[in-house]
Every structure is written in structure tokens, then in C-alpha cells.
Amino acid sequence: MEHKKIYPWIVVALLWFVALLNYMDRQMLSVMRESMMIDIVALERAANFGRLMSIFLWIYGMMSPFMGSIADRVNRKWLIVCSLFIWSAVTLLMGLCTTFDQLYVLRAIMGASEAAYIPAALALIADYHKDKTRSLAIGIHMTGLYVGQAMGGFGVTIAATFSWQHTFFSLGFIGILYSIILIYVLKEKRIVLAADNNTKRSLKDEIISVFLGLKLLLVNISFWIILLYFATPSLPGWATKNWLPTLFADSLHISMEQAGPLSTIAMAVASFVGVILGGILSDRWVLKNMRGRIYTGAIGLSLMIPALLLLGFGNTLLEIVSGAIFFGVGFGIFDANNMPILCQFVAPRYRATGYGLMNMTGVLAGAFITGYLGQSTDTGHLGNHIGLLSVGIVVVLILQLAYLRPTTIDKN
């Protein structure tokens, strides 16, 4: 009995390190441009670097619903293990790249492999944790993403000490080794409906089930609001992940070696605080008020508005760092409640699919803004365009509070 009580938290701990590698492997590229462009000249153009970052997002986004549907139908443990192994192998191979085209292809493969992780991991955690701990458990897991983002900022430091190739080799090897460890320690927990238990499905039945799941989600007006609620903050979310080091360097007139760690650490620490506070507040509030998770998410969105204005139009250390801190706390609160809010509107058998669709809308929005901000950087308007993203947050905040009205704490 004690093991049953502890193991759900062991799952969170095991997946926390996977989440760290997930973001560290993708994020460190954003701060290693200057080191890499010595060997790969095409990276000298910010627009090319934007293409390199955005191809990951386009593939990641387009594959997310497909991977979410798979996660609702297969053993999620093995999906997570395979996903980690593949993207880690890709990370290792990036250390061998000598051309922009090679990097471009590998970033696309990384996008496809990483798309399988988040829907499967969050659905698995949601099955292990119920109402009283769901937001906190998911929030703790999300801190792994933030720590990975922060540690990714040190990629430039490692590259300066050794080489950018050595950085990719090391992280790729660690991920491959950890995927082997997970085979032995991670366990599946599937909530199976009585009608589905011991029922063998043909390929045709599975395809019909996929489309039925998509149909049930897409005819739900609340789910469309959730999609918009998720996608709009993803614009500044991905903008800060991919371009914050550049913004710090440009606005504060400091080197990328200083801007990389400063920006990613400030954002990650603030997000860490926000996701824990958001998880605890949401789990307590929802027991007293059905819309507790909605209100908690709204607090997170509200903090992003002044944060984006400070980041976009500030030009002092205090203004820029304060903006990063406000945004990190707000995004952390928002992030801790996405899957828990989805659980109030979508049954367990469709949650990975639902989160896959959410990931698609959020990431494709991020792909657009990443490429667009690459061009903004070349023309000197990066800060202004980041600041203007606050307008979209205001709109989605109003829609969220007006239309998201759950009737249950946990949809079955």
C-alpha cells in the first residue's frame, strides 16, 4: 500500500529528468549560434537561424495530434522511452554536422520525436494523480522543462570551454543512457473503460476510434476555447524561449556569453516558482470552486501582460530582468493548469489526443512567431514586436473567463 502511495510521485521524478533533457536538448541551440557559425557560416544570418528554430516547431506541432492519438492507444511507457532515445540520438548526431542542411534535417527529426513525449507524459501523470494532487504533480514535472531551459543557457559556456560539438555529444549520450534506465523503472497505468477491456481491435477499428476521438473534441466549443487559451500565450512563450538571450544581449548591450545564462536562469527560476504556486493554488481552489483552475490560469495570464511590455520596451537591467521574472511566474502558473483544465472537459481516453491538438496549435503559433522574430531581429525591431504580443493575452484572458465553465472537477 505504501508503494502505491509513493510510486505516483516516483513517476513524476522519473519524468522530471526526461522533461529536463527534452528542453535542454532543444534549447541550447538558441544560445550557441555564435559558436556554431564559425564552422557553419549560414548561421551568420539571423533569418537562417530563425528557420532552423522554426522547422523544429513546425514538425513538432504538426506531429503532436498524431502522437497524442498514439499515446491514447499504446503503452505510454514505451512511447516515452522511444521518444527520448530518438531525440537523444539526434542530439548526438548534431555534433557531427558540418552544414546548415544537415542541422536542418536533424532539427526536423528532433521535432517529430519530441512531439511524442509531452502528451504521453502528462496523460500518464494525470492517470496517476487525481484532483488533490494533479496540478501540483504536473507543475513539478513542468519544472523539469524550466530547469532544462535554464541549463540550456549554459550550452554557450560549455561550447566556449570545449566545443559546440562536445556539448551535443555529451547530452546525446546522457539521454540514450537514461532511456535504457527507464525501461526497467517506469511503469504504465492505463485507465480502461469496461467496454474496451479485453477487446481486440482491428486496424480499421483503431482508425475509426482516432477520428471519433477527434470529432468528439472538435465539436466541443469549450475545447476550442481551450485551444485558443493555450495557443495565444504560446506566441510570447516560444518567443522568449528562442529569442530572449538575443533580446537581453541587444537591449542591455552585453555579450551572448552573459546574456544566455542571465536570461534563461531568470526565466527558469521565475517559472519554477510560478508552476509550484500555480499547482498548489489550483489544487486547493478547485475543491472549493469548480472554476478554481480557470481562475488560477487567469492569474498567470494577467502577469504576462506587464511582463511583455517590460521586455519589449524596457532598456535597463531592472526593466528587462523584471519583465523576465513576471513572465516566468505567469507562464509557470498558466503551464501548471493546462492539462488539469483539459481534464475538466475531456475524458481520460482522449486526453493525450486533446493535449496533442493543444500542442499543435501552441507550437505552430510558436513556429510562426519564431520565424517572424528572426526577421524582426535583422531589422532591429525584436523588442517592439515582443511587447505587442501582450494585446493577444488581453483578448484570450477575457474569453477564458467568459466562456470556460466546467461542470465537474474530473471528466469521466
Side-chain angles (χ1 to χ4, degrees), residues 335-403:
D335 227 8
N337 286 282
N338 294 326
M339 176 58 91
I341 288 174
L342 183 69
C343 291
Q344 291 189 270
F345 294 93
V346 176
R349 65 185 301 183
Y350 300 119
R351 284 173 186 168
T353 302
Y355 200 88
L357 286 168
M358 290 165 63
N359 236 9
M360 180 186 73
T361 57
V363 171
L364 292 185
F368 164 76
I369 202 65
T370 297
Y372 179 77
L373 291 179
Q375 300 174 25
S376 297
T377 301
D378 284 335
T379 58
H381 295 99
L382 176 62
N384 292 342
H385 290 170
I386 285 179
L388 291 175
L389 293 175
S390 60
V391 176
I393 303 295
V394 173
V395 174
V396 79
L397 176 61
I398 295 171
L399 290 174
Q400 177 213 13
L401 291 174
Y403 292 103

Side-chain angles (χ1 to χ4, degrees), residues 10 13 25 69 102 133 207 212 250 280 283 354 380:
I10 293 177
D25 285 357
S69 295
Q102 291 171 347
T133 60
I207 294 173
L212 177 61
D250 291 348
I280 294 173
D283 283 335

Side-chain angles (χ1 to χ4, degrees), residues 79-236:
L79 189 59
I80 290 168
V81 168
C82 290
S83 175
L84 172 60
F85 181 88
I86 293 171
W87 91 60
S88 297
V90 167
T91 300
L92 190 149
L93 289 173
M94 287 177 71
L96 300 174
C97 288
T98 57
T99 68
F100 177 84
D101 289 342
Q102 291 171 347
L103 281 174
Y104 195 78
V105 170
L106 287 174
R107 284 290 286 183
I109 297 173
M110 179 178 281
S113 59
E114 288 203 4
Y117 174 67
I118 289 291
L122 295 188
L124 184 60
I125 293 172
D127 277 356
Y128 270 108
H129 291 267
K130 300 304 179 183
D131 308 329
K132 294 181 180 180
T133 60
R134 181 170 284 158
S135 282
L136 180 59
I138 288 175
I140 291 173
H141 169 264
M142 299 306 268
T143 64
L145 303 180
Y146 306 143
V147 174
Q149 182 181 350
M151 293 180 67
F154 285 96
V156 66
T157 306
I158 300 173
T161 305
F162 299 99
S163 68
W164 62 269
Q165 292 94 338
H166 179 84
T167 306
F168 285 126
F169 287 151
S170 299
L171 285 177
F173 176 77
I174 290 171
I176 291 171
L177 180 62
Y178 192 64
S179 69
I180 297 171
I181 294 173
L182 286 183
I183 293 174
Y184 299 99
V185 295
L186 184 63
K187 297 179 182 179
E188 172 66 283
K189 179 181 175 66
R190 175 71 70 178
I191 297 176
V192 182
L193 299 180
D196 295 333
N197 199 21
N198 298 323
T199 300
K200 293 184 178 180
R201 291 175 175 267
S202 66
L203 178 60
K204 180 180 178 181
D205 291 334
E206 289 292 350
I207 294 173
I208 292 173
S209 179
V210 168
F211 282 100
L212 177 61
L214 290 173
K215 179 182 177 181
L216 289 173
L217 289 169
L218 296 178
V219 298
N220 186 337
I221 299 300
S222 295
F223 182 71
W224 282 99
I225 300 297
I226 292 173
L227 282 179
L228 184 62
Y229 161 75
F230 188 83
T232 305
S234 294
L235 287 168

Side-chain angles (χ1 to χ4, degrees), residues 149 240 244-245 247-248 252 259 261-272 303-304 306-312 316-332 386:
Q149 182 181 350
T240 54
L244 194 61
L247 179 67
F248 267 56
L252 301 177
L262 177 62
S263 60
T264 54
I265 289 175
M267 183 70 74
V269 170
S271 298
F272 190 101
L303 288 174
M304 294 183 206
L308 288 170
L309 295 174
L310 286 169
L311 284 172
T316 67
L317 179 63
L318 178 61
E319 290 171 338
I320 300 296
V321 173
S322 295
I325 292 172
F326 276 120
F327 188 86
V329 172
F331 199 86
I386 285 179

Side-chain angles (χ1 to χ4, degrees), residues 29 33 37 40-55 100-101 103-104 107 243 370-371 373-375 378:
L29 183 63
R33 175 187 166 201
M37 69 187 187
I40 303 176
V41 180
L43 295 179
E44 290 180 356
R45 290 188 60 216
N48 276 341
F49 188 69
R51 286 177 54 216
L52 191 61
M53 302 300 284
S54 63
I55 186 59
F100 177 84
D101 289 342
L103 281 174
Y104 195 78
R107 284 290 286 183
W243 289 105
T370 297
L373 291 179
Q375 300 174 25
D378 284 335

